[in-house]
Amino acid sequence: MFPGKIMLSIVLVCLSLMRIEAQNFKFGFVAGFVAANAHSISNPERYTDYRVFYPMASLNVNGLIRYKKSDQNWGFSVEPGLIQKGGLIHILDQKSRFRLNYFQLPVLAEIRLTDQLFLAAGPEFAYLLTSKGIGAFSQFKEKAFEISGMVGLHYRITEALDIGLRYNHAITSNSVLTWSDETGQPVGQSEIYNQYIQLVFRFKK
């Protein structure tokens, strides 16, 4: 299914539910600190042990639509927003930032563990808006739409505020890295996948 249709379908389902049970919805926003650390797989044999990426600090800002009945231990949330993924690239003594700016749409099921703790997990759909520091990486347009999985543990501080620690790993790759030998001749390619750890603050009313 075309990426836009997936996101539109999710939005339409949420709007339909909101009309049916408006009293069970809460709205707000999410702000977070991100440690992005993309990684490569299937490196050429001579580069098997070569590490390309290291953690890079970035941010995310999202809206929040949350559904939960007061008498149930489960709910779900949708968080449309912006995030920067990628990682730091270390080559010899030089460092560069591999920056991928996405519109993201996490769709998370929430399961209450205790009065203060709840588990959040589900897919994230994302679309690449801009990219910087891409160098030898290619095929961004072909791989602009990304699907990933997310899991996190949240602590409810008040009814209006919770804090969460999350991990996300892509299911689809974001680009291809072409490797070269000492003469500049291509010797193979690797698929690049996003992953990140995220500390988020969710405000709702």
Side-chain angles (χ1 to χ4, degrees), residues 89-138:
I89 302 175
H90 291 198
I91 301 178
L92 298 177
D93 294 329
Q94 297 186 350
K95 299 180 181 180
S96 61
R97 291 170 64 89
F98 179 70
R99 292 175 288 183
L100 306 176
N101 299 309
Y102 285 88
F103 170 79
Q104 65 169 175
L105 186 65
V107 182
L108 304 174
E110 300 180 2
I111 301 175
R112 189 175 68 180
L113 304 177
T114 70
D115 287 342
Q116 267 68 46
L117 286 175
F118 65 90
L119 181 71
E124 176 193 308
F125 306 97
Y127 190 80
L128 181 65
L129 301 176
T130 62
S131 57
K132 295 181 180 180
I134 59 178
F137 302 88
S138 60

Side-chain angles (χ1 to χ4, degrees), residues 138-149:
S138 60
Q139 298 187 22
F140 285 99
K141 290 184 179 180
E142 295 88 339
K143 299 176 178 292
F145 180 61
E146 178 185 83
I147 301 174
S148 59

